[in-house]
Amino acid sequence: MNILTFDIEEWYLEKILHGGRAFKYQAYDESFAKVLDELDRLGIKATFFCVGKLATDFPQVIREIARRGHEVGCHSNEHAWLNKMTEEELRRDTTEAVKALEDVSGQKVVSFRAPAFSITTENKWAVNVLADCGIESDASIFPTSRDFGGYKGFPQDTPCIIRHEGATLKEYPICLTSVFGKQMAYSGGGYFRLLPYWLVARTIRQRAYNICYFHLNDLIQQKIAFKSKAEYEEYFKEPGTLKNRVLRYVKSNIGTGDAYGKLQRLLSEHQFVSVREAERLVDWGKVNKINL
């Protein structure tokens, strides 16, 4: 089972971080249309995890996802990381995002992904808050350490049920594979751009479960500008040291030249479903139940 997901926030982040540059909006519009047209051509449905503010500020994006028959999921309201929030802040954020996305899409929103995979060992209470807000399925667990998130020690990278203080969610963790002895994600984001296509495709064929995740920025042939200290700290909420900014610059730009072509090939060579469709393919009575 291969699940296809996209994290959609670009228009809103461009607006709040840079004031809304026309050439950036055009690039996102064009990349978005290419992705949707390719999915239509191949008959693939995906889950698009969208920030709630897109529904209020750029409702045409949400409407088009829904019109094409894809699942609209929640990616927080303003792309804030869950491990930077209090319980009450997360409750308010999720409630506002879900309502806005439902009002515009006409769908019930029950799937969620945290920005930066920011459900960690330090904020397990997020499971309770999300469940209280009507979320049923989550795709936020990155089962190793990573920048700004990650759940080190999470016991598996296959669908499971996570529990915390009486709340439960169906969980679709990010998948890992061994690359030069290091456990690494392979099926999305910068990892997909960095790794050779043959390795990604071979790993997907060898596994019974894969979940792929992409951003429009991953698929645009561009050069992400080197961030100033102030820009870096405003977005990443950590010290904008030269080392941190250089590492982020490299990670943001490596492999962007052929990323869309790699995605096209991936979609044409493998079968994919959305999170909503995956619900029917998993025998939830037989999966592991994990107490966080």
Side-chain angles (χ1 to χ4, degrees):
M1 177 178 68
N2 304 319
I3 302 174
L4 181 63
T5 68
F6 294 86
D7 296 352
I8 305 296
E9 69 255 1
E10 282 84 358
W11 291 267
Y12 175 67
L13 294 183
E14 169 62 29
K15 175 183 176 180
I16 63 169
L17 295 177
H18 303 291
R21 296 167 294 184
F23 75 95
K24 279 292 188 179
Y25 286 161
Q26 180 179 353
Y28 298 145
D29 289 345
E30 291 173 354
S31 179
F32 183 54
K34 281 170 58 177
V35 167
L36 290 177
D37 288 347
E38 186 69 3
L39 296 179
D40 280 354
R41 185 180 74 82
L42 295 170
I44 295 173
K45 300 304 179 187
T47 294
F48 287 76
F49 291 105
C50 304
V51 296
K53 283 295 186 180
L54 280 176
T56 55
D57 295 4
F58 302 90
Q60 72 278 7
V61 174
I62 307 302
R63 291 193 188 103
E64 187 65 6
I65 292 169
R67 187 185 73 81
R68 303 270 192 135
H70 301 289
E71 179 184 14
V72 174
C74 180
H75 194 41
S76 82
N77 198 39
E78 299 184 53
H79 207 257
W81 300 328
L82 275 59
N83 52 2
K84 305 290 186 182
M85 293 185 191
T86 65
E87 292 186 46
E88 185 52 41
E89 286 170 339
L90 177 59
R91 190 179 306 278
R92 181 171 59 252
D93 182 273
T94 308
T95 299
E96 292 177 3
V98 168
K99 183 180 187 306
L101 293 168
E102 289 184 341
D103 286 349
V104 173
S105 70
Q107 298 180 12
K108 185 166 179 58
V109 173
V110 296
S111 299
F112 183 90
R113 173 172 288 143
F117 302 102
S118 51
I119 294 180
T120 74
T121 57
E122 304 302 316
N123 63 341
K124 302 172 185 178
W125 46 260
V127 172
N128 301 72
V129 175
L130 294 175
D132 287 347
C133 293
I135 299 299
E136 299 173 4
S137 299
D138 179 69
S140 303
I141 299 292
F142 195 101
T144 190
S145 299
R146 73 183 305 274
D147 291 349
F148 315 118
Y151 198 112
K152 188 176 182 180
F154 193 79
Q156 66 185 92
D157 58 356
T158 58
C160 57
I161 291 175
I162 55 176
R163 298 168 168 167
H164 186 256
E165 296 181 348
T168 64
L169 292 175
K170 297 170 182 175
E171 182 64 39
Y172 297 91
I174 296 304
C175 307
L176 305 177
T177 191
S178 180
V179 179
F180 300 120
K182 178 180 174 61
Q183 287 296 105
M184 184 181 293
Y186 55 89
S187 57
Y191 304 95
F192 180 77
R193 290 187 277 110
L194 172 65
L195 296 173
Y197 179 80
W198 66 262
L199 176 60
V200 175
R202 185 185 70 181
T203 305
I204 286 177
R205 287 194 300 268
Q206 290 173 342
R207 292 180 52 103
Y209 162 74
N210 300 279
I211 184 166
C212 298
Y213 62 99
F214 301 97
H215 297 79
L216 295 181
N217 256 331
D218 294 326
L219 307 173
I220 297 172
Q221 189 168 355
Q222 61 181 330
K223 183 71 73 174
I224 303 296
F226 187 75
K227 292 186 182 299
S228 69
K229 186 174 186 292
E231 289 172 333
Y232 183 95
E233 291 179 349
E234 180 182 5
Y235 182 71
F236 292 108
K237 307 297 189 295
E238 70 167 18
T241 63
L242 180 60
K243 177 183 176 182
N244 285 346
R245 287 182 287 145
V246 168
L247 286 173
R248 181 54 50 184
Y249 175 79
V250 173
K251 289 180 179 179
S252 297
N253 286 294
I254 193 167
T256 55
D258 66 342
Y260 181 71
K262 287 170 71 174
L263 174 62
Q264 283 183 301
R265 185 174 176 187
L266 187 77
L267 297 179
S268 67
E269 294 180 355
H270 301 83
Q271 298 292 316
F272 285 95
V273 296
S274 66
V275 171
R276 182 167 55 202
E277 291 172 317
E279 295 284 311
R280 300 189 292 270
L281 301 177
V282 177
D283 187 343
W284 294 102
K286 293 182 179 179
V287 303
N288 286 343
K289 281 74 174 177
I290 297 173
N291 295 312
L292 300 184

